Amino acid sequence: MNTTKRINRAYGLLAMIMIGVFFLALPGKAYADLINTDIEYFDDGSYGITTYENNLSSILSVGTVSQTKNYTYYDSNNNKQWKISLSGSFSYTGSSASCTSASVSYTIYNSNWKVTKAQASKSGRTATGEFTVKKYVLGVPIKTVNKTLTLTCSNSGNVT
């Protein structure tokens, strides 16, 4: 094996170690939020999956944190239909917390679905997104999903 290949392998190994150390250094709650999911099942076999995304730069800062909560809806055949998202930014001091901004967004994967309501609000330490998503067949709504997403910041900067 020549020297260049050994150096490239060494850099690759070093990069993997540094990534591992970075995630081990994350606060436990912050790391859990990167991978946290929740599944909601419906009677017709469809389901929705809630996931959280932390803004990694805000995890490393002190006094502010940003997070996005996604809800992705699947039909009973495991086909992705739509996704709604709430993003919130928060400030915290250790003895108080407040929501500084809230916004909503959505993506439609199946054109039979339409978002008829997507509204963000903030109050105190909480960001809220209210959504109504409807499925239409031949112009007639046949299914409606109402969903409220919330993000709340603790005094120590944990967002749930």
Side-chain angles (χ1 to χ4, degrees):
M1 181 183 303
N2 67 32
T3 305
T4 304
K5 286 185 181 179
R6 283 188 195 157
I7 290 172
N8 287 342
R9 285 186 181 172
Y11 281 131
L13 181 59
L14 180 61
M16 288 190 305
I17 291 170
M18 299 217 23
I19 289 169
V21 168
F22 171 76
F23 281 106
L24 288 174
L26 287 175
K29 174 69 174 132
Y31 180 70
D33 285 343
L34 289 171
I35 59 173
N36 190 19
T37 61
D38 182 39
I39 302 176
E40 175 183 22
Y41 295 97
F42 294 91
D43 291 338
D44 64 357
S46 62
Y47 58 97
I49 299 177
T50 302
T51 57
Y52 297 85
E53 300 172 30
N54 273 328
N55 177 332
L56 288 179
S57 64
S58 73
I59 292 172
L60 302 176
S61 66
V62 176
T64 62
V65 64
S66 297
Q67 189 172 73
T68 299
K69 188 177 207 177
N70 300 306
Y71 182 86
T72 306
Y73 182 85
Y74 295 82
D75 68 12
S76 59
N77 294 318
N78 302 315
N79 297 309
K80 193 183 299 186
Q81 302 297 295
W82 46 266
K83 178 174 81 169
I84 55 176
S85 302
L86 168 67
S87 296
S89 295
F90 305 87
S91 62
Y92 62 94
T93 64
S95 59
S96 67
S98 65
C99 179
T100 56
S101 71
S103 63
V104 293
S105 61
Y106 58 87
T107 304
I108 299 294
Y109 302 105
N110 178 333
S111 62
N112 290 333
W113 290 91
K114 307 284 184 230
V115 174
T116 60
K117 178 181 181 181
Q119 180 179 338
S121 62
K122 62 184 179 76
S123 178
R125 61 179 65 220
T126 301
T128 303
E130 295 181 50
F131 301 87
T132 300
V133 189
K134 294 183 178 187
K135 183 176 184 178
Y136 290 85
V137 173
L138 300 174
V140 177
I142 63 165
K143 183 168 184 168
T144 299
V145 178
N146 293 302
K147 190 70 180 170
T148 300
L149 302 178
T150 60
L151 293 168
T152 302
C153 186
S154 71
N155 292 347
S156 59
N158 287 325
V159 179
T160 55

